[in-house]
Amino acid sequence: VQLVESGGDLVQFGGSLRLSCVISGTIGGIIDMDVMGWYRQALGKQRELVATMTISNGDTNLRDSVKGRFTISRDNTKNTLYLQMNNLRPEDTAVYYCNAKSGNSLYKGEYWGQGTPVTVSS
């Protein structure tokens, strides 16, 4: 199972970005995963959860500091998870990682992408 993120960039305060995470290496693609999400790690800080989605029913969970600004979504036909980030703040600066968890007997485990950097200038 491979996760490849893209979309990170340098953006000004108040700007927007959309991150993408493409999953490959499974028969069913994104639907072979139970939960997918986005985490971030700022320099010198621990990795933290940003948003998750239960693939089967679309239920989402976002950290309080991004509610109302970030949206997590997926496109099953493209095997892609998205993170739409609006009204970005300097404190959103971090490397953003895609995460997937599966209980499927073929792909049981947890997977990470390589990360995509987001920098928000003040």
Side-chain angles (χ1 to χ4, degrees):
V1 178
Q2 288 188 320
L3 304 175
V4 179
E5 304 101 329
S6 62
D9 206 344
L10 170 65
V11 64
Q12 289 188 335
F13 181 92
S16 297
L17 284 174
R18 188 177 78 160
L19 306 183
S20 300
C21 171
V22 178
I23 184 170
S24 62
T26 74
I27 297 172
I30 200 169
I31 64 172
D32 283 330
M33 299 295 112
D34 294 322
V35 179
M36 292 189 70
W38 293 93
Y39 290 70
R40 67 187 181 187
Q41 187 167 17
L43 193 64
K45 295 188 177 181
Q46 289 188 330
R47 192 172 296 190
E48 63 185 19
L49 183 149
V50 177
T52 61
M53 173 179 282
T54 301
I55 298 303
S56 61
N57 61 15
D59 283 352
T60 62
N61 177 48
L62 290 88
R63 71 180 299 107
D64 286 345
S65 63
V66 307
K67 287 180 180 177
R69 301 189 297 123
F70 291 11
T71 304
I72 185 171
S73 63
R74 84 237 199 250
D75 185 335
N76 289 0
T77 66
K78 296 181 178 180
N79 291 318
T80 302
L81 183 76
Y82 300 103
L83 184 68
Q84 177 67 42
M85 306 187 293
N86 299 326
N87 193 19
L88 283 160
R89 306 167 180 168
E91 53 264 38
D92 296 317
T93 295
V95 178
Y96 284 70
Y97 296 90
C98 182
N99 174 272
K101 300 180 180 68
S102 177
N104 183 305
S105 59
L106 287 176
Y107 312 113
K108 190 170 185 177
E110 182 175 18
Y111 306 93
W112 292 92
Q114 82 286 352
T116 186
V118 172
T119 303
V120 184
S121 63
S122 57

